[in-house]
Amino acid sequence: MGCCNRRCGLIAGAVFGAVVAILGGILIPLGKSVIEGTVKKEAVIEPGTTAYDNWVSTGGIVYRQFWVFDVQNAQEVIQNGASPMVVEKGPYTYRTRYLAKENITFHPNQTASFLLPLGAIFEPSMSVGSDEDKVTTLNLAVAGAYSLIPEELHFLLENRIKTSNSSLFQNRTVNELLWGYIDPMLKDIVGLFAPYNGTYDGYYNVYTGKEDISKVGIIDMWQGHRSLRFWNDTYCDMINGTDASSFAPFVDKKKPLYFFSSDICRSVSAGFEESMDLKGIEVYRYTLQPNTLASPTENPDNRCFCKNFKTTRNCTLAGVLDVSTCKGGQPVFISLPHFLHGSPYLREDVQGLNPSEEHHATFLDVEPTTGFTLRFAKRIQANMLYGPSKVITVLKKVKDYTIFPIVWLNETAALDDETADMFKKELLSRIEMLDIIQKALLGTGVCIFILCLISYCVVRRCDNRSKLV
């Protein structure tokens, strides 16, 4: 009777272990399903969700750091045709994106429209000096007029330059260069980002993800259109992806992420580079695809971005994007800082540049479960074009077209400690706890089952031997 009880107890123990192991096994897909359902629900852009709260407000603090290129040999360039020598000065830091979205409207097709107000507040504690510091830089009005006015009318520009006592280069404060000043030649406000404060980016119309979470945040329309009006080409005028602040949850690192930037008037893609730790949270680092600013000879898809065969040397120029078509005709060129990944002659034409992948590359750190961008650094450089002229005195010694770097910026934001702790508590800790419970149940159940099964076999063998004796 005792032997039977022992065997029955071991069998019951094995059954119990098997049940516990099965329960742990069932919890794995069930737990994943619960987590996925919760994440998908909270990722939808609608009142009451986590995504909506972060989407409406500015989220983390965003800064724009500016480094201005100060010309050291302005007179030698004008009088002798020397290559410009520049020294980088900065950072001059401004807080941006501190205003919440405005005019938020939800539409029946599961999209939401909004305006993004723009503003910049100087941050002295994060700057090398006052934004009243003066620099010697390219004269924006002269360079702009040089490209906009037909060559046969350059004599008119020459007269305006002389009567206004203007030149190829000028002394301006950082504040004036960035946000605007009254130019003596044009009698109007001129500045790299003027006007800025009090203006808006948008309208944007984005998918809420209500019916299809894979589309959450994807831009449906910008400024009332589903494609751009800058490039006169179906491919280059496409508006792809989100605004890069977030992506669809459950990010697949094998696939690129697409986003649109109004700063550069086009959509781009970023590829997975590596997994990183950000305040105890695993994130995927994405960087711009190497062929984003490649010349059309290397990346034929970029041919529609090439608009000027003369200044781009028959579209062989790499590393620079001519955005004059979306900047009112102004000869503005966008590149990575210090012409990173650009054609070598760009750095030969302007002395003092030193590109660095570490300091000048753009990246996004995306949390893969939620798709939220927890840290980013958007680094771009604003350049303008000037060239030779037989009529304009300050350009007579210039030997060739020069794409001159004026300023580069690093727009950056990162997860703060308080938000990181909340993120880990509300999401990651629950996922980890569920994972621990699943593994504990599965492991404990398997161990009990195996131990009871082995013990049952041993007891049965012993009982058989006793009967034989």
Side-chain angles (χ1 to χ4, degrees):
M1 187 72 177
C3 294
C4 181
N5 287 337
R6 279 189 299 172
R7 290 183 188 178
C8 291
L10 291 172
I11 291 173
V15 171
F16 174 75
V19 170
V20 171
I22 291 171
L23 180 62
I26 291 174
L27 276 179
I28 292 176
L30 181 62
K32 287 183 179 179
S33 177
V34 171
I35 291 170
E36 286 183 9
T38 302
V39 170
K40 288 178 179 179
K41 180 181 178 181
E42 291 300 315
V44 174
I45 301 174
E46 67 176 359
T49 66
T50 303
Y52 181 78
D53 294 338
N54 293 327
W55 179 77
V56 172
S57 65
T58 57
I61 299 175
V62 179
Y63 295 102
R64 273 195 176 188
Q65 300 172 295
F66 294 93
W67 283 263
V68 182
F69 292 102
D70 190 29
V71 183
Q72 305 296 295
N73 62 338
Q75 289 307 309
E76 287 83 353
V77 176
I78 296 171
Q79 295 173 3
N80 305 319
S83 296
M85 171 67 70
V86 298
V87 172
E88 180 184 275
K89 293 181 68 175
Y92 295 93
T93 304
Y94 293 80
R95 182 180 176 183
T96 60
R97 294 198 201 176
Y98 53 88
L99 298 169
K101 292 179 174 66
E102 296 182 9
N103 292 9
I104 298 173
T105 305
F106 288 89
H107 304 287
N109 65 341
Q110 309 303 329
T111 63
S113 59
F114 63 92
L115 279 173
L116 187 64
L118 303 178
I121 301 174
F122 185 60
E123 295 283 354
S125 64
M126 301 176 65
S127 305
V128 295
S130 167
D131 64 352
E132 295 301 318
D133 289 350
K134 284 200 168 185
V135 294
T136 301
T137 186
L138 186 67
N139 191 317
L140 307 184
V142 171
Y146 169 79
S147 293
L148 288 172
I149 297 176
E151 189 173 340
E152 56 270 20
L153 297 179
H154 274 185
F155 70 93
L156 296 176
L157 177 57
E158 167 70 356
N159 290 335
R160 293 294 296 272
I161 292 173
K162 285 185 175 180
T163 56
S164 62
N165 199 28
S166 299
S167 186
L168 181 60
F169 299 100
Q170 62 177 344
N171 291 315
R172 289 289 170 188
T173 67
V174 172
N175 186 296
E176 288 175 327
L177 179 64
L178 297 177
W179 313 116
Y181 58 91
I182 300 295
D183 181 77
M185 186 180 78
L186 299 181
K187 307 297 183 183
D188 201 358
I189 295 176
V190 175
L192 283 175
F193 302 98
Y196 192 80
N197 284 333
T199 63
Y200 295 87
D201 182 20
Y203 270 97
Y204 283 89
N205 200 57
V206 303
Y207 287 98
T208 63
K210 179 71 174 178
E211 294 181 350
D212 184 357
I213 197 63
S214 68
K215 297 174 71 174
V216 64
I218 290 179
I219 299 170
D220 175 43
M221 291 190 291
W222 180 69
Q223 293 188 345
H225 300 284
R226 287 191 167 85
S227 61
L228 304 176
R229 298 293 188 269
F230 305 137
W231 308 107
N232 195 31
D233 181 88
T234 303
Y235 175 81
C236 285
D237 279 327
M238 287 193 298
I239 299 176
N240 287 336
T242 71
D243 64 357
S245 62
S246 66
F247 300 90
F250 309 109
V251 175
D252 183 355
K253 60 186 177 183
K254 295 179 181 179
K255 299 178 180 179
L257 298 178
Y258 295 91
F259 58 95
F260 167 73
S261 173
S262 60
D263 288 328
I264 63 174
C265 312
R266 62 165 290 188
S267 301
V268 295
S269 63
F272 173 80
E273 187 174 273
E274 60 178 327
S275 294
M276 304 184 71
D277 181 272
L278 175 60
K279 299 182 184 297
I281 302 170
E282 183 189 20
V283 293
Y284 289 172
R285 171 153 292 188
Y286 283 79
T287 55
L288 290 183
Q289 302 280 33
N291 64 353
T292 301
L293 294 177
S295 71
T297 55
E298 296 180 14
N299 180 10
D301 288 340
N302 283 344
R303 181 161 295 279
C304 45
F305 292 118
C306 180
K307 295 298 182 182
N308 191 316
F309 288 87
K310 183 182 290 186
T311 58
T312 60
R313 302 189 183 186
N314 292 322
C315 294
T316 61
L317 176 64
V320 173
L321 177 67
D322 180 357
V323 293
S324 58
T325 55
C326 66
K327 300 296 181 183
Q330 293 290 331
V332 179
F333 291 76
I334 296 299
S335 69
L336 293 177
H338 289 243
F339 296 124
L340 177 68
H341 302 157
S343 297
Y345 70 79
L346 292 168
R347 294 183 295 275
E348 295 168 1
D349 291 346
V350 180
Q351 304 298 308
L353 302 178
N354 185 27
S356 161
E357 194 76 38
E358 178 183 357
H359 297 106
H360 301 144
T362 289
F363 68 81
L364 305 168
D365 288 341
V366 180
E367 198 285 311
T369 302
T370 61
F372 294 160
T373 300
L374 301 185
R375 178 172 59 188
F376 71 90
K378 181 173 71 176
R379 294 157 174 166
I380 57 177
Q381 181 172 293
N383 316 274
M384 287 189 75
L385 174 77
Y386 67 85
S389 174
K390 296 179 181 179
V391 177
I392 302 172
T393 303
V394 295
L395 294 172
K396 284 182 178 179
K397 295 293 184 179
V398 173
K399 297 180 176 64
D400 200 355
Y401 293 102
T402 300
I403 296 177
F404 184 86
I406 300 170
V407 63
W408 73 271
L409 66 88
N410 177 26
E411 184 174 276
T412 182
L415 189 71
D416 58 58
D417 293 335
E418 182 180 351
T419 306
D421 291 340
M422 182 188 71
F423 194 89
K424 287 185 284 188
K425 179 182 178 181
E426 295 297 325
L427 177 66
L428 301 186
S429 62
R430 296 181 183 182
I431 295 175
E432 290 173 0
M433 180 62 69
L434 184 60
D435 186 56
I436 291 171
I437 292 174
Q438 291 169 351
K439 291 178 180 178
L441 288 173
L442 185 61
T444 302
V446 169
C447 289
I448 293 174
F449 177 79
I450 292 174
L451 287 174
C452 289
L453 190 62
I454 292 174
S455 298
Y456 174 82
C457 293
V458 170
V459 169
R460 184 175 180 180
R461 186 178 296 175
C462 291
D463 292 343
N464 290 337
R465 287 178 180 176
S466 298
K467 288 179 181 180
L468 292 173
V469 172

